[in-house]
Amino acid sequence: MMKGNMNNMMKQMQKMQRDMAKAQEELKDKVIEGTAGGGMVTVKANGHKEIIDIVIKEEVVDPEDIDMLQDLVLAATNDALKKVDEMVSQDMGKFTKGLNIPGLF
């Protein structure tokens, strides 16, 4: 009886590992957008925290104020990465909901 329960639990864990690996791979195809300056700078990142696009509106480009542009790019990038973290936490959290396994997330 005990061995059957253990085998069943191992199969469930293996399935969960496969599902988690698949979900992690799918994160690469999800795109999150971060913005700053009311949309003057937009940064797109995928679920693997790779920056895939940066759009800067022409009217925010001021050769006299490069610092502001750098700040906007930085803010938009941090916004995008924060949103990626939230998405990953939500997507991957469904696998660990209800489990209390030390060291897993």
Side-chain angles (χ1 to χ4, degrees):
M1 181 75 175
M2 186 70 154
K3 187 174 182 183
N5 285 344
M6 192 63 150
N7 282 342
N8 192 29
M9 192 172 98
M10 290 301 289
K11 284 180 185 172
Q12 286 179 324
M13 290 296 287
Q14 288 168 344
K15 180 186 181 329
M16 187 176 88
Q17 282 180 318
R18 283 192 305 271
D19 291 347
M20 284 176 71
K22 182 179 179 218
Q24 227 163 4
E25 187 56 38
E26 289 170 354
L27 286 172
K28 190 171 182 126
D29 297 327
K30 294 186 177 183
V31 177
I32 296 293
E33 203 172 87
T35 61
M40 289 287 122
V41 176
T42 302
V43 173
K44 291 182 182 176
N46 67 21
H48 287 182
K49 289 189 175 180
E50 297 166 336
I51 304 302
I52 57 175
D53 193 26
I54 297 176
V55 177
I56 300 171
K57 298 262 174 92
E58 192 176 315
E59 54 267 32
V60 80
V61 179
D62 179 358
E64 302 295 313
D65 196 357
I66 297 297
D67 286 345
M68 182 190 68
L69 182 56
Q70 290 170 335
D71 288 345
L72 288 173
V73 171
L74 193 61
T77 302
N78 285 329
D79 184 44
L81 294 178
K82 186 176 123 229
K83 289 176 179 175
V84 168
D85 280 341
E86 291 167 1
M87 179 193 64
V88 168
S89 179
Q90 189 176 2
D91 280 11
M92 300 309 287
K94 64 186 170 202
F95 292 106
T96 57
K97 196 184 311 179
L99 291 179
N100 189 12
I101 301 173
L104 188 62
F105 296 113

